[in-house]
Amino acid sequence: MDIIRYALLAGLAVVTYLLLLAWQEDYGVTDTPAPEEIVTTSSSAPDDTAEDTGTDLPTTAPASDGDDIPSVTTSPDSDREVQTSGSEELINVQTDVLNVRIDPVGGDIVYISLPRYPTELDRPDEPFVLLEETSLRSYVAQSGLVGRDGIDTGERPRYTTRSTDYVLGPDGRQLQVELEYTDEQGVSITKRFTFTRGDYLIDVAYEVDNPTDERWRANLFGQIKRGDFADPTTGSGFGMQSFLGFATTAPDDNYIKIDFDEVESRAPHEMEGGWMAFSQHYFLSAWVAPQTNNRFSTRINNQGEYIGGFTSDEFAVPSGETATRSAGFYAGPKDQYRLAEIAPWLDRTIDYGWLWFIASPIYWLLTFINSFVGNYGWSILLLTVCVKGIFYKLSATSYRSMANMRRVMPKMNQLKERFGDDKMRLQKETMELYKKEKINPFGGCLPILVQMPVFIALYWVLLESVELRHAPFILWIDDLSVMDPYFVLPILMGASMYLQFMLSPTPQDPTQAKIMKFMPVVMTVFFLWFPAGLVLYWLANSVLGIAQQWYITSGIEKEQARKDAARV
């Protein structure tokens, strides 16, 4: 009968697995669609709607009010159609790590793709698009000058440039793109973008040449405008997801996350320097403000787009002089060490949660191991071994406690049979048995609780590390950042958890025992759509735990057998 039952269970498991594969093929996550043709909001487009007042931009109060803090205004023309400027008007910039398109109207960055990060593994020549403005998605970086003499206060300026195509040559270290504009008073303004080889940080500088007889004054602003669309780098699945939204820093809080729901209610703050970023899984865009007093704020415009940015203190250019003010704009992967170099606390946008102080050293160890191994799959396995080694003694204490509990389980069952109807007597006799056998019933819990923060931090490291995106392991696993397409790793992980359950003492409560027995099935289903790198870690951790638990349990059983033989 047992053979027939096991055969039926095995057949049911095979059928369930095949059905799961078929469901994934029909209804699973599809490839990311190719980006649409770019659409910008240039004022040169035909205008069959109300006048565009540039109301997405900050404005400052009149100078006579003595208030240089910008106040946001919005346009009543909330339903106007997006106008197409035509791609020939855009300024194309190509470096080794960035493909950028700049709208000459306003000098906004309306498109950025990352050549070193393909959209999909099967589309290696199609770079991942971070910023774009299409009919479906709006995500752009805007900057300009507002205030008393600011050229972006009313209609956006139309810059001129010597070329519409710029390429960083193979021997070049930097590439400068200059946009020029002269206002009605004859003040010449050069908006200069500086790109550096191998770097995702763009320096955006305004050089103002004032030939007039009066002092020229304005405020620099930079902002990120994004529509309400899902993170294109996060697939479906269960578990915790990466943060999607704005992030900033403040004097009283190094890292502030601003969800979409909080954008409108978030109060502005001021500080010297600082940054405003938009964070998604693996990638980041961020304005790094100049080292002046800056006002940071978020808001929603009439088109329902989310805006977050800064406005700096007013800067003045005396008559007959030239002055420059600049800011940095980062658009690229969440590189922990590069972000830390750019601005204080910008690396916190790699959101490890409240355990970031544990996760950061774990990330360092993972990248250090991979510098020798060259394969993140094997690096995860070696990292798991290292973590297990660090907590070996704590784990041994836990497993030894469970082994002793398993050893005295027959005696506990006898006590339950004798005093099952007398709960107080059963509890007393059980505690005396623990004391006689020198067993701490909570000895297996405390070591596990101590290790939990490290396990959670490691989870976040594997989830947030852009290095795992499109990172291959072996055989069919060619991307550790997505689910195992054949569910082999989750099934093996579930089997290892079931084996661990079999090695652990069975709870006396029948209901609790059934729940614990069913837990591996629940966890297997839960992990089916987890990234393969995370499942690989949990599988390796379970296998190492089984080996350690078996070693300790067998040692205790042999020692007990010797004691029993000596008594005879």
Side-chain angles (χ1 to χ4, degrees):
M1 289 297 293
D2 287 341
I3 295 177
I4 296 176
R5 184 178 64 178
Y6 291 141
L8 289 174
L9 289 174
L12 180 61
V14 171
V15 171
T16 303
Y17 175 70
L18 294 176
L19 287 173
L20 187 60
L21 290 179
W23 180 91
Q24 175 63 24
E25 183 177 352
D26 292 337
Y27 303 104
V29 180
T30 58
D31 291 339
T32 304
E36 292 199 354
E37 182 181 358
I38 188 164
V39 177
T40 67
T41 56
S42 171
S43 62
S44 63
D47 190 1
D48 56 358
T49 62
E51 180 183 359
D52 185 356
T53 59
T55 54
D56 288 337
L57 310 180
T59 59
T60 57
S64 59
D65 294 342
D67 183 8
D68 59 0
I69 303 299
S71 59
V72 177
T73 60
T74 55
S75 169
D77 183 22
S78 60
D79 297 326
R80 70 180 176 88
E81 295 291 331
V82 175
Q83 302 296 322
T84 305
S85 65
S87 60
E88 69 275 8
E89 295 186 354
L90 299 178
I91 302 166
N92 301 294
V93 184
Q94 182 178 345
T95 74
D96 57 327
V97 297
L98 290 171
N99 294 325
V100 181
R101 296 175 191 169
I102 302 170
D103 190 344
V105 178
D108 298 331
I109 299 176
V110 295
Y111 175 91
I112 288 182
S113 64
L114 312 176
R116 293 188 179 179
Y117 294 88
T119 300
E120 297 289 345
L121 274 175
D122 55 358
R123 298 196 298 235
D125 297 330
E126 183 179 302
F128 176 76
V129 177
L130 182 59
L131 269 62
E132 63 178 335
E133 189 164 14
T134 71
S135 59
L136 294 180
R137 300 198 301 184
S138 175
Y139 185 7
V140 299
Q142 299 176 306
S143 58
L145 299 171
V146 294
R148 194 193 74 172
D149 299 314
I151 57 176
D152 292 277
T153 300
E155 184 178 355
R156 302 300 301 282
R158 170 173 284 279
Y159 290 94
T160 60
T161 183
R162 295 178 184 147
S163 174
T164 56
D165 292 287
Y166 294 84
V167 178
L168 179 64
D171 299 325
R173 192 184 73 86
Q174 282 192 337
L175 174 65
Q176 287 190 344
V177 178
E178 293 187 347
L179 282 62
E180 298 177 350
Y181 177 79
T182 302
D183 68 9
E184 296 176 354
Q185 285 72 40
V187 177
S188 298
I189 298 171
T190 301
K191 187 172 186 177
R192 183 179 299 112
F193 297 86
T194 302
F195 301 85
T196 303
R197 177 173 296 278
D199 200 354
Y200 296 91
L201 179 65
I202 306 169
D203 181 73
V204 183
Y206 282 86
E207 182 181 288
V208 181
D209 182 11
N210 180 18
T212 68
D213 296 333
E214 297 183 0
R215 180 182 294 265
W216 183 96
R217 295 187 297 179
N219 304 72
L220 171 65
F221 80 90
Q223 63 186 29
I224 298 165
K225 182 174 71 172
R226 189 184 188 276
D228 185 10
F229 57 89
D231 189 339
T233 54
T234 299
S236 63
F238 301 102
M240 295 179 285
Q241 300 291 329
S242 294
F243 172 70
L244 179 69
F246 288 100
T248 188
T249 185
D252 57 347
D253 193 344
N254 295 326
Y255 177 57
I256 303 170
K257 294 193 294 186
I258 307 172
D259 292 315
F260 284 150
D261 295 339
E262 301 172 335
V263 165
E264 205 162 21
S265 61
R266 174 74 192 179
H269 69 275
E270 296 182 25
M271 68 175 297
E272 183 176 348
W275 47 266
M276 174 68 74
F278 189 88
S279 177
Q280 65 185 54
H281 197 199
Y282 297 135
F283 300 103
L284 180 80
S285 63
W287 277 107
V288 182
Q291 289 302 309
T292 62
N293 188 62
N294 304 292
R295 182 176 187 264
F296 294 86
S297 62
T298 58
R299 64 189 188 277
I300 303 176
N301 66 7
N302 285 353
Q303 285 75 43
E305 297 167 320
Y306 299 91
I307 298 174
F310 75 92
T311 304
S312 70
D313 266 351
E314 182 182 84
F315 74 102
V317 183
S319 173
E321 295 187 14
T322 301
T324 301
R325 177 154 291 187
S326 62
F329 179 70
Y330 181 90
K334 290 182 177 179
D335 184 333
Q336 178 170 308
Y337 301 121
R338 180 63 183 122
L339 295 177
E341 294 173 351
I342 292 173
W345 305 107
L346 186 57
D347 58 324
R348 287 290 307 277
T349 54
I350 307 173
D351 191 11
Y352 296 140
W354 64 278
L355 294 171
W356 60 270
F357 57 92
I358 300 177
S360 293
I362 292 176
Y363 172 81
W364 175 86
L365 181 58
L366 176 64
T367 54
F368 177 77
I369 293 173
N370 193 70
S371 65
F372 295 97
V373 177
N375 182 297
Y376 272 100
W378 294 112
S379 298
I380 290 172
L381 294 177
L382 291 176
L383 176 66
T384 309
V385 172
C386 292
V387 173
K388 265 293 184 184
I390 293 172
F391 290 101
Y392 178 83
K393 288 193 175 181
L394 276 175
S395 299
T397 302
S398 175
Y399 294 142
R400 190 171 291 109
S401 176
M402 287 190 289
N404 284 324
M405 289 288 291
R406 184 183 178 91
R407 177 175 58 83
V408 301
M409 190 59 66
K411 296 180 180 180
M412 294 178 65
N413 290 334
Q414 291 176 3
L415 292 177
K416 187 177 180 181
E417 291 177 0
R418 292 177 57 188
F419 308 108
D421 297 331
D422 189 347
K423 299 297 182 183
M424 296 295 294
R425 180 70 183 275
L426 176 61
Q427 184 177 3
K428 180 181 178 182
E429 294 292 335
T430 301
M431 295 305 296
E432 289 181 357
L433 176 63
Y434 289 155
K435 185 177 181 179
K436 178 181 178 182
E437 297 290 341
K438 298 180 180 180
I439 295 175
N440 180 4
F442 302 104
C445 301
L446 183 59
I448 295 176
L449 292 177
V450 172
Q451 298 176 60
M452 283 305 295
V454 176
F455 293 156
I456 296 173
L458 186 54
Y459 173 96
W460 278 111
V461 168
L462 298 180
L463 183 66
E464 287 286 299
S465 297
V466 68
E467 291 82 1
L468 265 64
R469 184 177 186 266
H470 295 173
F473 180 35
I474 56 173
L475 300 177
W476 69 92
I477 301 178
D478 54 8
D479 188 351
L480 289 167
S481 68
V482 300
M483 52 175 278
D484 182 344
Y486 302 111
F487 307 106
V488 175
L489 289 179
I491 292 174
L492 290 177
M493 188 209 67
S496 66
M497 290 187 65
Y498 183 78
L499 185 55
Q500 274 189 309
F501 166 76
M502 297 301 292
L503 291 173
S504 302
T506 304
Q508 286 186 300
D509 184 2
T511 302
Q512 185 179 358
K514 289 180 180 180
I515 293 175
M516 293 300 294
K517 193 172 184 179
F518 191 66
M519 187 60 67
V521 178
V522 175
M523 292 299 293
T524 300
V525 175
F526 190 69
F527 272 77
L528 285 177
W529 290 274
F530 265 46
L534 293 173
V535 184
L536 180 64
Y537 158 70
W538 284 107
L539 173 61
N541 186 69
S542 295
V543 171
L544 290 174
I546 289 170
Q548 186 179 4
Q549 188 172 358
W550 175 83
Y551 175 76
I552 292 173
T553 301
S554 61
I556 290 177
E557 289 177 350
K558 289 179 181 178
E559 182 180 353
Q560 185 63 33
R562 286 195 297 269
K563 289 180 180 180
D564 293 342
R567 292 193 189 99
V568 175

mmCIF file of all heavy atoms in Angstrom, residues 409 412-413 416 423 426 501 505-517:
data_model
loop_
_atom_site.group_PDB
_atom_site.id
_atom_site.type_symbol
_atom_site.label_atom_id
_atom_site.label_comp_id
_atom_site.label_asym_id
_atom_site.label_seq_id
_atom_site.Cartn_x
_atom_site.Cartn_y
_atom_site.Cartn_z
ATOM 1 N N MET A 409 12.353 12.732 22.895
ATOM 2 C CA MET A 409 10.968 12.766 22.441
ATOM 3 C C MET A 409 10.176 11.534 22.898
ATOM 4 O O MET A 409 9.007 11.675 23.305
ATOM 5 C CB MET A 409 10.925 12.901 20.925
ATOM 6 C CG MET A 409 9.530 13.182 20.369
ATOM 7 S SD MET A 409 8.795 14.697 21.036
ATOM 8 C CE MET A 409 9.922 15.922 20.335
ATOM 9 N N MET A 412 9.060 12.132 26.383
ATOM 10 C CA MET A 412 8.029 13.163 26.438
ATOM 11 C C MET A 412 6.676 12.606 26.009
ATOM 12 O O MET A 412 5.630 12.977 26.567
ATOM 13 C CB MET A 412 8.420 14.350 25.539
ATOM 14 C CG MET A 412 9.664 15.105 26.042
ATOM 15 S SD MET A 412 10.156 16.455 24.946
ATOM 16 C CE MET A 412 8.750 17.540 25.088
ATOM 17 N N ASN A 413 6.681 11.715 25.032
ATOM 18 C CA ASN A 413 5.436 11.076 24.604
ATOM 19 C C ASN A 413 4.862 10.208 25.725
ATOM 20 O O ASN A 413 3.636 10.124 25.898
ATOM 21 C CB ASN A 413 5.672 10.242 23.356
ATOM 22 C CG ASN A 413 5.950 11.118 22.132
ATOM 23 O OD1 ASN A 413 5.517 12.269 22.064
ATOM 24 N ND2 ASN A 413 6.681 10.573 21.168
ATOM 25 N N LYS A 416 3.200 12.424 28.118
ATOM 26 C CA LYS A 416 1.927 12.892 27.574
ATOM 27 C C LYS A 416 0.842 11.834 27.732
ATOM 28 O O LYS A 416 -0.327 12.140 28.010
ATOM 29 C CB LYS A 416 2.113 13.259 26.104
ATOM 30 C CG LYS A 416 0.883 13.910 25.486
ATOM 31 C CD LYS A 416 1.153 14.324 24.054
ATOM 32 C CE LYS A 416 -0.084 14.970 23.439
ATOM 33 N NZ LYS A 416 0.131 15.373 22.032
ATOM 34 N N LYS A 423 -2.956 19.043 32.666
ATOM 35 C CA LYS A 423 -2.024 19.943 31.983
ATOM 36 C C LYS A 423 -0.941 20.468 32.931
ATOM 37 O O LYS A 423 0.224 20.578 32.545
ATOM 38 C CB LYS A 423 -2.794 21.128 31.387
ATOM 39 C CG LYS A 423 -3.841 20.727 30.340
ATOM 40 C CD LYS A 423 -3.189 20.076 29.129
ATOM 41 C CE LYS A 423 -4.225 19.730 28.068
ATOM 42 N NZ LYS A 423 -3.620 19.034 26.900
ATOM 43 N N LEU A 426 1.514 17.659 33.651
ATOM 44 C CA LEU A 426 2.318 17.383 32.451
ATOM 45 C C LEU A 426 3.400 18.438 32.267
ATOM 46 O O LEU A 426 4.554 18.106 31.958
ATOM 47 C CB LEU A 426 1.408 17.352 31.218
ATOM 48 C CG LEU A 426 2.111 17.162 29.866
ATOM 49 C CD1 LEU A 426 2.854 15.841 29.821
ATOM 50 C CD2 LEU A 426 1.103 17.255 28.718
ATOM 51 N N PHE A 501 12.971 19.415 8.145
ATOM 52 C CA PHE A 501 11.851 19.154 9.042
ATOM 53 C C PHE A 501 11.929 17.741 9.596
ATOM 54 O O PHE A 501 11.666 17.509 10.784
ATOM 55 C CB PHE A 501 10.535 19.365 8.300
ATOM 56 C CG PHE A 501 9.339 18.812 9.005
ATOM 57 C CD1 PHE A 501 8.794 19.468 10.096
ATOM 58 C CD2 PHE A 501 8.760 17.616 8.597
ATOM 59 C CE1 PHE A 501 7.693 18.950 10.763
ATOM 60 C CE2 PHE A 501 7.669 17.085 9.260
ATOM 61 C CZ PHE A 501 7.126 17.762 10.349
ATOM 62 N N PRO A 505 12.958 17.777 15.752
ATOM 63 C CA PRO A 505 11.980 17.094 16.619
ATOM 64 C C PRO A 505 10.555 17.455 16.230
ATOM 65 O O PRO A 505 10.255 18.616 15.927
ATOM 66 C CB PRO A 505 12.328 17.609 18.013
ATOM 67 C CG PRO A 505 13.070 18.889 17.782
ATOM 68 C CD PRO A 505 13.809 18.702 16.517
ATOM 69 N N THR A 506 9.680 16.478 16.238
ATOM 70 C CA THR A 506 8.287 16.698 15.882
ATOM 71 C C THR A 506 7.558 17.389 17.022
ATOM 72 O O THR A 506 7.651 16.951 18.166
ATOM 73 C CB THR A 506 7.595 15.355 15.576
ATOM 74 O OG1 THR A 506 8.323 14.675 14.560
ATOM 75 C CG2 THR A 506 6.165 15.585 15.121
ATOM 76 N N PRO A 507 6.871 18.481 16.752
ATOM 77 C CA PRO A 507 6.118 19.159 17.827
ATOM 78 C C PRO A 507 5.081 18.224 18.443
ATOM 79 O O PRO A 507 4.490 17.383 17.752
ATOM 80 C CB PRO A 507 5.447 20.332 17.101
ATOM 81 C CG PRO A 507 6.277 20.558 15.871
ATOM 82 C CD PRO A 507 6.787 19.204 15.477
ATOM 83 N N GLN A 508 4.876 18.387 19.737
ATOM 84 C CA GLN A 508 3.914 17.531 20.434
ATOM 85 C C GLN A 508 2.479 17.842 20.019
ATOM 86 O O GLN A 508 1.634 16.958 19.986
ATOM 87 C CB GLN A 508 4.073 17.701 21.948
ATOM 88 C CG GLN A 508 5.323 17.025 22.511
ATOM 89 C CD GLN A 508 5.349 17.088 24.014
ATOM 90 O OE1 GLN A 508 5.342 18.159 24.607
ATOM 91 N NE2 GLN A 508 5.376 15.928 24.653
ATOM 92 N N ASP A 509 2.213 19.092 19.706
ATOM 93 C CA ASP A 509 0.870 19.485 19.290
ATOM 94 C C ASP A 509 0.619 18.954 17.876
ATOM 95 O O ASP A 509 1.337 19.312 16.934
ATOM 96 C CB ASP A 509 0.750 21.001 19.320
ATOM 97 C CG ASP A 509 -0.666 21.465 18.997
ATOM 98 O OD1 ASP A 509 -1.538 20.610 18.785
ATOM 99 O OD2 ASP A 509 -0.887 22.690 18.951
ATOM 100 N N PRO A 510 -0.393 18.094 17.667
ATOM 101 C CA PRO A 510 -0.653 17.531 16.336
ATOM 102 C C PRO A 510 -0.928 18.596 15.278
ATOM 103 O O PRO A 510 -0.477 18.480 14.140
ATOM 104 C CB PRO A 510 -1.877 16.628 16.564
ATOM 105 C CG PRO A 510 -1.880 16.335 18.021
ATOM 106 C CD PRO A 510 -1.305 17.533 18.679
ATOM 107 N N THR A 511 -1.664 19.639 15.663
ATOM 108 C CA THR A 511 -1.961 20.706 14.699
ATOM 109 C C THR A 511 -0.688 21.426 14.277
ATOM 110 O O THR A 511 -0.457 21.698 13.091
ATOM 111 C CB THR A 511 -2.948 21.718 15.311
ATOM 112 O OG1 THR A 511 -4.132 21.037 15.705
ATOM 113 C CG2 THR A 511 -3.292 22.799 14.313
ATOM 114 N N GLN A 512 0.166 21.733 15.248
ATOM 115 C CA GLN A 512 1.429 22.387 14.943
ATOM 116 C C GLN A 512 2.320 21.494 14.087
ATOM 117 O O GLN A 512 3.007 21.970 13.184
ATOM 118 C CB GLN A 512 2.144 22.762 16.239
ATOM 119 C CG GLN A 512 3.429 23.570 16.022
ATOM 120 C CD GLN A 512 4.095 23.933 17.326
ATOM 121 O OE1 GLN A 512 3.586 23.616 18.406
ATOM 122 N NE2 GLN A 512 5.238 24.591 17.227
ATOM 123 N N ALA A 513 2.283 20.198 14.359
ATOM 124 C CA ALA A 513 3.095 19.258 13.573
ATOM 125 C C ALA A 513 2.647 19.237 12.119
ATOM 126 O O ALA A 513 3.477 19.196 11.193
ATOM 127 C CB ALA A 513 3.000 17.862 14.188
ATOM 128 N N LYS A 514 1.327 19.273 11.877
ATOM 129 C CA LYS A 514 0.819 19.277 10.509
ATOM 130 C C LYS A 514 1.206 20.564 9.782
ATOM 131 O O LYS A 514 1.562 20.545 8.597
ATOM 132 C CB LYS A 514 -0.697 19.114 10.518
ATOM 133 C CG LYS A 514 -1.164 17.725 10.929
ATOM 134 C CD LYS A 514 -2.680 17.642 10.922
ATOM 135 C CE LYS A 514 -3.151 16.244 11.338
ATOM 136 N NZ LYS A 514 -4.636 16.144 11.347
ATOM 137 N N ILE A 515 1.129 21.678 10.517
ATOM 138 C CA ILE A 515 1.505 22.958 9.914
ATOM 139 C C ILE A 515 2.979 22.957 9.516
ATOM 140 O O ILE A 515 3.357 23.391 8.413
ATOM 141 C CB ILE A 515 1.195 24.112 10.881
ATOM 142 C CG1 ILE A 515 -0.313 24.256 11.076
ATOM 143 C CG2 ILE A 515 1.792 25.430 10.367
ATOM 144 C CD1 ILE A 515 -0.701 25.289 12.113
ATOM 145 N N MET A 516 3.828 22.467 10.407
ATOM 146 C CA MET A 516 5.262 22.423 10.120
ATOM 147 C C MET A 516 5.567 21.484 8.959
ATOM 148 O O MET A 516 6.466 21.750 8.153
ATOM 149 C CB MET A 516 6.026 21.981 11.370
ATOM 150 C CG MET A 516 5.971 22.975 12.515
ATOM 151 S SD MET A 516 6.660 24.585 12.070
ATOM 152 C CE MET A 516 8.377 24.134 11.819
ATOM 153 N N LYS A 517 4.792 20.411 8.840
ATOM 154 C CA LYS A 517 5.008 19.467 7.754
ATOM 155 C C LYS A 517 4.574 20.062 6.417
ATOM 156 O O LYS A 517 5.154 19.750 5.371
ATOM 157 C CB LYS A 517 4.237 18.174 8.038
ATOM 158 C CG LYS A 517 4.621 17.015 7.137
ATOM 159 C CD LYS A 517 3.960 15.728 7.604
ATOM 160 C CE LYS A 517 4.431 14.548 6.761
ATOM 161 N NZ LYS A 517 3.816 13.273 7.227
#
